[in-house]
Amino acid sequence: MNANAPLMTPNGPLARPKRLVVLGATGSIGDSTLDLVTRAPEHYEIAALTGHGNIDKLAELARRHRPRFVAVGDAGQGAALADALAGTGIAHGAGPQALLDAATIEADLVVSAIMGAAGLPPTLAAIEAGRHVALANKETLVTAGELVTRRCAERGVRLLPVDSEHNAIFQVFDAVSPQTVEKVILTASGGPFRTWTKEAIAAATPAQALKHPKWTMGAKITIDSASLMNKGLELIEALHLFPIAHHQLDVLVHPQSIIHGLVSYRDGSVLAQMGAPDMRTPISFCLGWPERRGTPSARLDLTAVGSLSFEAPDLDRFPCLALAKAAMARGGTATAVLNAANEVAVAAFLAQRLSFGGIAETVDMALEAAERRGALLAGYDLSTILMIDADARRWAEA
Ligand code: NAD
Ligand code: MG
């Protein structure tokens, strides 16, 4: 895959500001991205922004960054967005087509930071339009990894991983000699329930699960981090991002969240990337790529950290990780079913309609039901995967 234009010219980095689309601009990754953009107006300009419900914030971001187009995913919010942008002259739209329009507007890089599989259609549309993508939305690869990476290769599109573990691995993975790689290891903080008993975890409340020890993120990924489903989704994400097999992937619990990812090689060398836990570091790496730019992220002080510790993940107390590994090994549409059922279960848990233990039970039952209904297929196209996603959601909801 050689897709340096238009991120780079034959003589080096772009001489003009890079034009960015931010899908999911009102979220946590959106905040960090736009913070970097605000600090470096000489490097970046905003071509389009999208949000979902938070119109006041979306309109305020639009007034500050002056994009050519703003989209709200929720079709019912179109009039509110029009009101909020009145007098600005900024073009806007609402609903699924507006998200696709934002994703495909003329730009150099699309930051994909919508929450959940809702990010798949606009991300794939950006790829089809030949836009390079800085990918935070891991559900895109979990749901349709084979399709997305195949289209990237065919369209000459580069996928730059924003997720901190994958960004770390991207930095230390020898892409020129992938056959020398033995293992790719993702670290996990272990989340708020790392030391809890199985019974206590099963009965945990949303307030307890939302208290992540190291990272401040959107609600869905924070719950996934507490169940370790996030690490399972990240294993699947890594399988699609790097030329490796699933048996080469490992998870290492590392509560300090200083080492973000490791690659071990056949000569016994292990290369790791470290940094203070701040998403602006991996986001900046993707925005600036192939240049490494400055960020205001805290500098790592290892004497202040003192010591780093590691432990194996406990699949018995964290069954979501085991379910994700099994779905990854199965491949095809199994990971889309896993993701859809998990999204529904997490929303139900946050709405206090499901126990924390019920998340893994729902995902497990959804996979079994999909197997019985013949929905675990090896190959798929976009319409099949959207149908299987919707079907798994309906099933999990029921
Ligand atoms: P968030 O909930 O803070 O923000 C999500 C964004 O998506 C918002 O702009 C929201 O308006 C938009 N959105 C939500 N549902 C939508 C829908 N149905 N249609 C269109 N837009 C919709 O989430 P976040 O923490 O910023 O995470 C975004 C993505 O990045 C997720 O896939 C997450 O797994 C990934 N990620 C986040 C972090 C982090 O530190 N926050 C780290 C790694 C990966
Ligand atoms: Mg991560």
Side-chain angles (χ1 to χ4, degrees), residues 33 37 106 127 159 184 212 240 292 306:
T33 303
V37 168
E106 193 61 37
I127 293 165
L159 270 191
V184 165
H212 196 276
H240 293 299
R292 198 184 279 275

Side-chain angles (χ1 to χ4, degrees), residues 35-36 39 257-258 260 273-282 294-302 304-305:
D35 177 65
L36 293 168
R39 289 165 193 270
S257 295
I258 297 299
H260 304 301
Q273 186 263 2
M274 299 195 272
D278 183 332
M279 286 308 293
R280 289 176 301 183
T281 297
T295 76
S297 306
R299 293 323 187 229
L300 179 58
D301 177 357
L302 284 173
V305 177

Side-chain angles (χ1 to χ4, degrees), residues 88 107 113 121 123 138 166 216 227 256 275:
T88 61
T123 304
K138 61 192 83 183
H166 307 75
T216 311
S227 69
Q256 296 81 17

Side-chain angles (χ1 to χ4, degrees), residues 138 163-166 221 230-231 234:
K138 61 192 83 183
D163 209 349
S164 54
E165 297 77 3
H166 307 75
I221 182 175
N230 183 51
K231 215 44 59 178
E234 290 185 352

Side-chain angles (χ1 to χ4, degrees), residues 18-25 29-30 33-34 37 44-50 67-71 98-114 122-123 126 131-135 287:
K18 213 175 259 185
R19 297 161 304 176
L20 307 178
V21 171
V22 186
L23 303 174
I29 293 288
T33 303
L34 293 173
V37 168
Y44 309 113
E45 78 188 32
I46 297 295
L49 296 174
T50 83
R68 280 180 284 128
F69 186 64
V70 180
L99 289 183
L100 302 183
D101 293 342
T104 54
I105 200 170
E106 193 61 37
D108 300 306
L109 183 69
V110 174
V111 179
S112 167
I114 287 174
T123 304
R131 305 287 180 265
H132 298 294
V133 173
L135 187 74
L287 297 188

Side-chain angles (χ1 to χ4, degrees), residues 10 54 129 183 185 198 238 242 246 251 260 273 303 362 365 375:
N54 193 345
K183 288 263 178 201
I185 301 151
K198 193 174 179 173
F242 303 105
H246 64 85
V251 172
H260 304 301
Q273 186 263 2
T303 55
T362 304
M365 284 157 56

Side-chain angles (χ1 to χ4, degrees), residues 121-186:
T123 304
L124 196 55
I127 293 165
E128 297 293 354
R131 305 287 180 265
H132 298 294
V133 173
L135 187 74
N137 178 240
K138 61 192 83 183
E139 294 91 344
T140 284
L141 286 179
V142 174
T143 303
E146 285 96 356
L147 172 65
V148 168
T149 52
R150 174 161 47 79
R151 290 306 291 154
C152 283
E154 287 165 359
R155 299 290 290 128
V157 163
R158 197 171 260 283
L159 270 191
L160 296 163
V162 168
D163 209 349
S164 54
E165 297 77 3
H166 307 75
N167 189 267
I169 291 158
F170 186 75
Q171 294 190 43
V172 295
F173 192 97
D174 184 352
V176 176
S177 311
Q179 74 284 2
T180 63
V181 170
E182 268 179 5
K183 288 263 178 201
V184 165
I185 301 151
L186 307 180

Side-chain angles (χ1 to χ4, degrees), residues 337-395:
V337 172
L338 170 98
N339 179 69
N342 181 60
E343 284 191 33
V344 169
V346 169
F349 169 69
L350 285 169
Q352 300 188 316
R353 290 190 285 120
L354 185 71
S355 69
F356 193 77
I359 297 174
E361 287 166 17
T362 304
V363 172
D364 192 11
M365 284 157 56
L367 280 161
E368 280 176 16
E371 172 93 285
R372 280 197 306 274
R373 292 197 312 282
L376 298 188
L377 312 172
Y380 54 81
D381 57 12
L382 181 62
S383 58
T384 310
I385 211 76
L386 293 178
M387 208 175 69
I388 283 178
D389 172 272
D391 183 52
R393 273 168 212 272
R394 269 193 306 274
W395 192 92

